[in-house]
Amino acid sequence: MAFKSIIVEIEDHVALIRLNRPDAMNALNSALLGELGQAVREADQNEKVRCIVITGSEKAFAAGADIKEMAEKSFVDVYSDNLFGDSFTPLEQCRKPIIAAVAGYALGGGCELAMVCDFIIAADTAKFGQPEINLGVIAGLGGTQRLTRLVGKSKSMEMHLTGRFMDAEEAERAGLVSRVVPAKKLMETAMAAAQKITEKSQLSVVACKEAVNRSYETTLAEGILHERRLFQSLFATNDQSEGMAAFLEKREAQFRDR
């Protein structure tokens, strides 16, 4: 389908999805969220795509949800429509890795979008925050839950209650982002990471993502058991045989996703 609020490019097994509402600093409205969900579903179903990268502009990854779209709504409106209820479902259900490449502002819904991705690579210009408290509301796309899991209760509580922004250096120190790079190298770095993932066996990539995500949803003992069963199951694949043989023979593995 033709998109109006995002730009999608597929190259070398990587789907690059760029948020494209420059006049609104990539604010997340219903149209953009709908297109983003559709693009992620299509990429997840596309056999040629092995990794997804989501990014915005140099100025803003996404500066939040679109306030203009919400300002006049009542409780009945948002409750009846289940506002934001399934906005991130396609990303949450996507089996392929999703990398957020963040430069500039990632605030409110933008921060929540970055956090729903599998990991974040940030430019040194990035700023993260959940300033919904300034609007008389709170985060509604998972911010209170995901930020707390990533950076801990104290820092999450402070950010949500005061609306304070976190710069890239603090975000890396707190565990919100995987690494920080110069702004000029953000896309090069993110695409290189995505390319690395595309070279792995898709079977082990999917299993790895599932195992790490399970760690947030269950006890340590159950998580370890789940990990072990996934580990053991991969010994039924040709890729396991190829990967270990390649290591012993000191050559590059040729994975076939079988």
Side-chain angles (χ1 to χ4, degrees):
M1 63 179 290
F3 297 116
K4 296 182 179 179
S5 300
I6 62 174
I7 298 171
V8 181
E9 302 171 17
I10 298 176
E11 185 175 351
D12 295 332
H13 304 295
V14 178
L16 173 62
I17 303 175
R18 190 181 298 276
L19 309 185
N20 188 39
R21 295 190 69 212
D23 295 339
M25 295 183 68
N26 292 331
L28 307 179
N29 62 4
S30 56
L32 187 153
L33 288 169
E35 290 184 358
L36 177 61
Q38 180 64 28
V40 169
R41 278 192 294 267
E42 290 179 1
D44 199 26
Q45 295 166 5
N46 187 338
E47 293 182 358
K48 295 181 180 180
V49 173
R50 301 168 71 87
C51 189
I52 301 167
V53 176
I54 298 177
T55 192
S57 66
E58 293 181 2
K59 187 175 182 180
F61 176 74
D66 195 328
I67 307 304
K68 291 181 180 179
E69 193 174 68
M70 295 187 291
E72 300 302 319
K73 292 183 180 294
S74 68
F75 165 73
V76 172
D77 295 330
V78 299
Y79 188 70
S80 298
D81 295 340
N82 193 24
L83 182 66
F84 298 146
D86 57 0
S87 297
F88 285 167
T89 300
L91 286 81
E92 293 165 340
Q93 295 180 345
C94 183
R95 303 185 78 194
K96 296 174 181 177
I98 305 176
I99 302 171
V102 177
Y105 294 107
L107 307 178
C111 186
E112 290 165 304
L113 172 58
M115 290 190 292
V116 81
C117 296
D118 293 305
F119 63 91
I120 303 169
I121 296 177
D124 53 12
T125 60
K127 292 187 182 299
F128 301 87
Q130 298 289 166
E132 291 89 348
I133 199 79
N134 297 328
L135 302 174
V137 293
I138 66 171
L141 279 160
T144 62
Q145 306 304 300
R146 289 193 174 93
L147 188 62
T148 305
R149 282 166 167 77
L150 291 169
V151 307
K153 176 187 174 183
S154 184
K155 192 176 288 290
S156 175
M157 190 73 81
E158 182 208 3
M159 290 181 66
H160 282 285
L161 289 177
T162 68
R164 180 178 73 83
F165 296 170
M166 181 189 294
D167 64 21
E169 181 181 352
E170 182 183 0
E172 182 180 29
R173 190 168 65 245
L176 177 59
V177 307
S178 64
R179 52 180 156 152
V180 178
V181 298
K184 291 182 179 180
K185 293 188 175 181
L186 174 64
M187 293 314 300
E188 174 187 341
T189 304
M191 296 303 285
Q195 195 59 48
K196 268 291 184 186
I197 292 170
T198 69
E199 297 168 1
K200 314 303 181 186
S201 164
Q202 278 294 103
L203 298 170
S204 56
V205 165
V206 170
C208 183
K209 175 172 174 172
E210 181 181 319
V212 173
N213 283 335
R214 181 61 66 94
S215 71
Y216 282 99
E217 306 295 340
T218 190
T219 64
L220 177 60
E222 287 299 318
I224 290 174
L225 178 60
H226 184 72
E227 173 194 86
R228 188 174 303 123
R229 291 294 178 258
L230 287 171
F231 164 75
Q232 292 166 347
S233 71
L234 290 170
F235 279 75
T237 68
N238 293 335
D239 283 349
Q240 172 270 330
S241 298
E242 166 61 14
M244 293 190 176
F247 176 83
L248 294 173
E249 295 167 13
K250 296 181 171 57
R251 60 175 175 82
E252 290 293 324
Q254 302 297 315
F255 295 120
R256 305 295 183 189
D257 302 333
R258 296 175 183 173

